C-alpha cells in the first residue's frame, strides 16, 4: 500500500507538472506566409547564400535566393547578421516514448517479448512530452524515435517536433525496424560467462533471428502468390508478426542494427550480405573506427553518437569524438544519433565534437541534416533548404554547434514555433525571483 501511494503521488506530480507547463505556454504557433530576408543561408545542398531570402508559404519553402518579389501578404522577418540552417535531425532517440526514466508509467519505449516486429513506436508517441519543446528550441526539428527492447524491438517512427497527435507529427510512420545485434563477446569485466557459454548464447540468438527471417520470407512468398492470383485459392491465415516483416525483407523500410563492438560489427556485416533484398543501417558502432573500411565496403550507413566514454580502458579519450570522422574518411555515410530523450537538445553539440575531431564542419552539418534524411529516404522533404521542401529550418545568431550562440526562431512544417520550453520558463521564473520577493 505504501508503494502504491508513493507511485500514485509520483504520477499525480508528473501530471500536474505537465499541466503547469502547458498552462504557461500561451503563445501559439503562427502559420501562413513568411519572408526571411538579409540572412546568410546555409542550404547544405547548394552552398551558402549571402544576404539571401527564404520565402515560406504554408508547409513549403517556395523560394531560396538573393532576390525575391515579396508581396504584402508575407510577414517579413529581418535576419540581418543572422544565419538560416535546415532543421537538425537526431536519427536515434526515444523522444516522445519516455518522459521520466524512474517513473514506469511514463515510459513506453520497451515491450515484453523478444521478437516484436509488429510493435510500432508511432502508436506510442506522446505529442505533449515536456522534452519536445526543450529539444526543438535548440534547432532539432525532427527525430527518429525508436523502441529498444528484445532482439527485434519493433519499428521506429520519424516525426516532426510539432503537432497535436502522432498522425500530425509523422514524416514516416514506419521509419525502420530496430534490431539489437546479439553479442559474441563478454559484456564487460562483470561478465563471468565462459567462452563456450558466450558462443552458445550467441548462436542461439542468431538462430532465433534467422528462423524469424526465414519464416517471414516464406510468408511473404505465400501471401504474394495469393494476392497476385486469388482465384480458386483459400486465403492463408494471417500473422501479425510475419505481416509486419514483409516491408522489411523486401527493402521497403530499412533494418537498423544496433551494434558496438568490433567483432559484433563484423558479424553483423556478414549477416547483412545474406539478405541482399533488404536495406540495413548500423547504429551505435562505438568501434566503427576500428573497422571503418569493412563498413564502407559493405555500403552500410552509420548512426553515431560522440558523447560517450571509450569502449576500452586503453583507448585514447578522443576516439568517440573521432569516430564519425574516421568513418567518413573511409567512405561511410554518417548521421548523428544521440540515443537520448531529454538530452536530444544536445544533438548539435554531438555534431560540433565530430566537426572538431576530424569530420569537419561541412560534413558535420550534413551528418545532422541531409545525410540523415537521405539514409531514411526523406531527402525529398527534409535535410536542406531548397524550393519545394518542407519548411523545417531555424534562424540563429551564429554557429549552432557553439553552445554560446542562440537559436532565435524555429519553423517546423511552416509553423513559426513559440520559443518557449520548460527550460525557458524556469529561467524566466528564477531570473525574476529576487524582484518578486522584494515586492
Amino acid at each position: 500500500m505504501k508503494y502504491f501511494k508513493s507511485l500514485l503521488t509520483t504520477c499525480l506530480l508528473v501530471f500536474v507538472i505537465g499541466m503547469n507547463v502547458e498552462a504557461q505556454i500561451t503563445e501559439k504557433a503562427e502559420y501562413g506566409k513568411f519572408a526571411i530576408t538579409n540572412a546568410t543561408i546555409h542550404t547544405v545542398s547548394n552552398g551558402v547564400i549571402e544576404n539571401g531570402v527564404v520565402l515560406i508559404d504554408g508547409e513549403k519553402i517556395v523560394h531560396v535566393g538573393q532576390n525575391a518579389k515579396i508581396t504584402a501578404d508575407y510577414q517579413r522577418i529581418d535576419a540581418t547578421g543572422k544565419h538560416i540552417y535546415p532543421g537538425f535531425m537526431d536519427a536515434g532517440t526515444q523522444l516522445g516514448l519516455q518522459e521520466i526514466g524512474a517513473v514506469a508509467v511514463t515510459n513506453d519505449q520497451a515491450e515484453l517479448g523478444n521478437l516484436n516486429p509488429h510493435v510500432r513506436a508511432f502508436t506510442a508517441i506522446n505529442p505533449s512530452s515536456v522534452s519536445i519543446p526543450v529539444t526543438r528550441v535548440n534547432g532539432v526539428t525532427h527525430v527518429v524515435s525508436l523502441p529498444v527492447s528484445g532482439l527485434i524491438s519493433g519499428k521506429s517512427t520519424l516525426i516532426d517536433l510539432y503537432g497535436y497527435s502522432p498522425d500530425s507529427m509523422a514524416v514516416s510512420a514506419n521509419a525502420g525496424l530496430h534490431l539489437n545485434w546479439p553479442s559474441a563477446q563478454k559484456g564487460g569485466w562483470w561478465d563471468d560467462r565462459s567462452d563456450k557459454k558466450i558462443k552458445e548464447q550467441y548462436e542461439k540468438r542468431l538462430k532465433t533471428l534467422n528462423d524469424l527471417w526465414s519464416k517471414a520470407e516464406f510468408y511473404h512468398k505465400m501471401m504474394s502468390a495469393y494476392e497476385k492470383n486469388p482465384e480458386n485459392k483459400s486465403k492463408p491465415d494471417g500473422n501479425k508478426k510475419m505481416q509486419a516483416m514483409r516491408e522489411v525483407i523486401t527493402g521497403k523500410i530499412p533494418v537498423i542494427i544496433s551494434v558496438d563492438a568490433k567483432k559484433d560489427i563484423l558479424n553483423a556485416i556478414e549477416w547483412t550480405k545474406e539478405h541482399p533484398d533488404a536495406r540495413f543501417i548500423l547504429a551505435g558502432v562505438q568501434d566503427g573506427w576500428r573497422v571503418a573500411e569493412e563498413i564502407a565496403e559493405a555500403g552500410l550507413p552509420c548512426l553515431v553518437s560522440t558523447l560517450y566514454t571509450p569502449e576500452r580502458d586503453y583507448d585514447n579519450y578522443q576516439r568517440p569524438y573521432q569516430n564519425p570522422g574516421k568513418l567518413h574518411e573511409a567512405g561511410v555515410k554518417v548521421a548523428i544519433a544521440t540515443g537520448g530523450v531529454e538530452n536530444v537538445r544536445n544533438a548539435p553539440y554531438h555534431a560540433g565534437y565530430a566537426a572538431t575531431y576530424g569530420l569537419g564542419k561541412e560534413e558535420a552539418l550534413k551528418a545532422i541534416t541531409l545525410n540523415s534524411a537521405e539514409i531514411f529516404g526523406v531527402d525529398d522533404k527534409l535535410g536542406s533548404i531548397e524550393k519545394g521542401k518542407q519548411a523545417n529550418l531555424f534562424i540563429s545568431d551564429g554557429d549552432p554547434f557553439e553552445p554560446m550562440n542562440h537559436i532565435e526562431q524555429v519553423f517546423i512544417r511552416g509553423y513559426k514555433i513559440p520559443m518557449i520550453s520548460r527550460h525557458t520558463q524556469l529561467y524566466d521564473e528564477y531570473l525574476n525571483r529576487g524582484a518578486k520577493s522584494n515586492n
Side-chain angles (χ1 to χ4, degrees):
M1 180 61 72
K2 183 178 180 181
Y3 170 79
F4 176 76
K5 287 181 178 179
S6 176
L7 178 60
L8 180 61
T9 301
T10 304
C11 294
L12 288 172
L13 180 60
V14 170
F15 175 76
V16 170
I17 290 173
M19 291 297 291
N20 285 341
V21 169
E22 292 301 317
Q24 292 178 54
I25 300 180
T26 56
E27 188 178 343
K28 301 296 182 182
E30 298 179 48
Y31 189 73
K33 294 185 174 184
F34 302 93
I36 310 172
T37 62
N38 306 313
T40 299
I41 307 170
H42 301 262
T43 67
V44 178
S45 57
N46 295 302
V48 178
I49 300 173
E50 301 289 346
N51 195 32
V53 177
V54 174
L55 299 183
I56 299 172
D57 186 351
E59 292 188 5
K60 301 293 184 181
I61 298 170
V62 296
H63 175 84
V64 181
Q66 289 184 315
N67 299 297
K69 183 179 180 180
I70 305 174
T71 55
D73 54 344
Y74 277 89
Q75 179 183 329
R76 288 176 177 259
I77 301 172
D78 185 5
T80 300
K82 308 296 173 58
H83 300 258
I84 304 177
Y85 288 88
F88 289 159
M89 174 176 170
D90 190 328
T93 77
Q94 281 87 60
L95 197 60
L97 300 177
Q98 179 179 339
E99 198 67 13
I100 301 173
V103 182
V105 293
T106 70
N107 300 328
D108 205 4
Q109 78 278 21
E111 287 290 337
L112 297 175
N114 194 39
L115 301 172
N116 293 307
H118 58 301
V119 169
R120 304 170 68 212
F122 168 75
T123 63
I125 291 295
N126 173 19
S128 299
S129 170
V130 175
S131 295
I132 288 178
V134 169
T135 301
R136 70 190 181 203
V137 298
N138 211 33
V140 181
T141 62
H142 47 289
V143 304
V144 172
S145 195
L146 48 84
V148 296
S149 60
L151 183 60
I152 299 287
S153 304
K155 292 177 181 176
S156 59
T157 184
L158 173 53
I159 56 171
D160 286 321
L161 296 187
Y162 176 75
Y164 294 97
S165 68
D167 290 290
S168 66
M169 300 168 74
V171 178
S172 177
N174 293 342
L177 181 76
H178 193 65
L179 161 62
N180 293 300
W181 186 257
S183 181
Q185 60 184 44
K186 290 192 174 187
W189 60 265
W190 61 88
D191 191 344
D192 59 358
R193 293 176 300 165
S194 66
D195 291 342
K196 181 181 178 182
K197 186 67 173 179
I198 291 171
K199 184 179 179 181
E200 287 175 354
Q201 292 180 345
Y202 169 72
E203 290 177 347
K204 181 179 179 181
R205 298 196 77 197
L206 188 60
K207 183 179 184 303
T208 299
L209 175 60
N210 286 331
D211 287 348
L212 173 72
W213 200 277
S214 297
K215 290 177 182 177
E217 288 179 330
F218 176 79
Y219 182 86
H220 175 66
K221 289 177 182 178
M222 177 179 65
M223 293 301 291
S224 295
Y226 172 79
E227 291 163 355
K228 185 177 181 179
N229 184 17
E231 288 187 32
N232 301 319
K233 295 179 181 177
S234 298
K235 185 176 181 179
D237 292 338
N239 182 298
K240 287 184 178 181
K241 291 186 178 182
M242 295 299 103
Q243 186 66 28
M245 287 293 294
R246 293 184 70 185
E247 62 180 350
V248 177
I249 62 174
T250 56
K252 184 177 179 180
I253 68 170
V255 179
I256 306 167
I257 304 176
S258 183
V259 58
D260 284 318
K262 173 183 174 180
K263 183 177 180 180
D264 295 332
I265 293 172
L266 293 175
N267 286 340
I269 289 174
E270 289 305 309
W271 183 80
T272 64
K273 293 176 181 178
E274 299 171 9
H275 309 288
D277 294 332
R279 290 192 291 135
F280 298 97
I281 301 167
L282 300 184
V285 288
Q286 292 187 21
D287 267 354
W289 59 276
R290 297 180 188 274
V291 287
E293 297 292 340
E294 290 86 343
I295 296 172
E297 186 179 348
L300 299 173
C302 290
L303 313 180
V304 298
S305 167
T306 60
L307 302 185
Y308 57 83
T309 56
E311 185 74 6
R312 296 166 178 79
D313 292 341
Y314 52 81
D315 282 344
N316 190 293
Y317 78 94
Q318 300 178 84
R319 291 301 183 224
Y321 312 139
Q322 294 172 338
N323 192 32
K326 295 291 185 183
L327 288 165
H328 169 72
E329 186 179 332
V332 178
K333 181 169 286 188
V334 173
I336 296 297
T338 65
V341 183
E342 63 278 354
N343 285 323
V344 176
R345 62 194 172 93
N346 289 330
Y349 313 134
H350 284 247
Y353 272 99
T356 302
Y357 285 86
L359 186 58
K361 185 177 176 181
E362 183 178 346
E363 289 301 325
L365 182 57
K366 287 182 181 179
I368 201 169
T369 55
L370 190 56
N371 282 5
S372 302
E374 288 175 347
I375 288 170
F376 284 94
V378 293
D379 50 302
D380 59 328
K381 301 176 184 177
L382 301 167
S384 61
I385 300 178
E386 297 180 64
K387 181 180 178 180
K389 285 196 174 183
Q390 186 173 304
N392 280 31
L393 52 88
F394 63 84
I395 304 169
S396 70
D397 64 2
D399 185 348
F401 293 166
E402 296 285 346
M404 294 302 291
N405 291 324
H406 299 93
I407 308 299
E408 297 192 351
Q409 186 58 62
V410 173
F411 289 83
I412 300 177
R413 219 168 53 252
Y415 285 89
K416 183 171 177 280
I417 302 299
M419 298 301 288
I420 301 171
S421 72
R422 183 63 175 158
H423 289 189
T424 64
Q425 291 168 342
L426 289 171
Y427 175 81
D428 292 338
E429 175 71 20
Y430 284 94
L431 184 68
N432 299 317
R433 182 176 55 177
K436 290 181 179 180
S437 62
N438 291 334
N439 292 334

